[in-house]
Amino acid sequence: MGQSEVTPEMRALEIATEESGNFYYGRRYFVEKTRFWGYVRKPRQPWSKAQLVVMNEDSVRQPDRLPEDGPSNARHGYDQNSNYRITGHFTGRKIYEPASNLFLPEFKATGYRRIDTNGGWLFTPQDYYNKTKITLVNETVSQPTR
């Protein structure tokens, strides 16, 4: 069954029965010129509770820390829509990401393990991806205060 055929009920069941522990699940979400990493959530939490994060790379670099103009399979963002099992923690800091004009939580990863390379839709089956424009935003993303 392809990811496009996965219903919200099937996704909820998959999440409810996934492995849990002292780690997070992450979905790489790449949009050109932005510096956020993607969405991170606790095991068995729905993606609607995930947070769009900026990664702190003091302990370990992002898996796609590669040149932005390299070959398509070996450049920054090549892992768009991949799911990861990530160890680390939220630092409690909010980081301003200027290309998106968002304040996002900082996550300090200590390890990554890619689970799959095609996570399918994130929030709803109607999700769509545009590599130059932010199209996947949930209510956990905070706008700057004026």
Side-chain angles (χ1 to χ4, degrees):
M1 177 177 309
Q3 282 293 329
S4 62
E5 300 166 357
V6 174
T7 67
E9 295 78 19
M10 293 164 71
R11 177 65 56 82
L13 180 59
E14 177 184 297
I15 289 172
T17 60
E18 71 190 2
E19 183 180 352
S20 64
N22 191 21
F23 60 89
Y24 293 82
Y25 287 102
R27 171 74 64 85
R28 180 67 167 108
Y29 178 43
F30 173 73
V31 177
E32 289 179 5
K33 304 196 185 334
T34 62
R35 295 297 177 247
F36 52 71
W37 181 81
Y39 284 94
V40 173
R41 66 176 176 83
K42 292 179 181 177
R44 298 189 180 171
Q45 273 192 341
W47 283 108
S48 62
K49 301 239 187 244
Q51 296 184 68
L52 185 60
V53 302
V54 172
M55 285 292 182
N56 175 320
E57 296 181 283
D58 287 349
S59 297
V60 65
R61 293 170 65 132
Q62 299 178 49
D64 72 335
R65 178 54 63 210
L66 300 166
E68 294 187 25
D69 60 353
S72 62
N73 64 343
R75 75 169 58 148
H76 186 70
Y78 78 91
D79 59 348
Q80 157 61 20
N81 209 34
S82 291
N83 283 318
Y84 287 88
R85 182 174 162 163
I86 306 170
T87 53
H89 64 278
F90 285 92
T91 66
R93 293 178 52 200
K94 290 278 190 178
I95 307 296
Y96 179 66
E97 200 291 309
S100 62
N101 195 32
L102 297 172
F103 284 97
L104 301 171
E106 179 183 53
F107 190 90
K108 186 171 184 175
T110 56
Y112 296 87
R113 181 172 60 100
R114 190 160 32 170
I115 299 169
D116 65 57
T117 59
N118 183 13
W121 55 268
L122 189 62
F123 301 119
T124 73
Q126 290 75 38
D127 287 350
Y128 70 96
Y129 175 65
N130 183 325
K131 71 179 184 174
T132 62
K133 181 178 162 189
I134 298 171
T135 57
L136 299 177
V137 178
N138 68 5
E139 62 276 355
T140 67
V141 175
S142 62
Q143 300 291 327
T145 55
R146 300 198 187 268

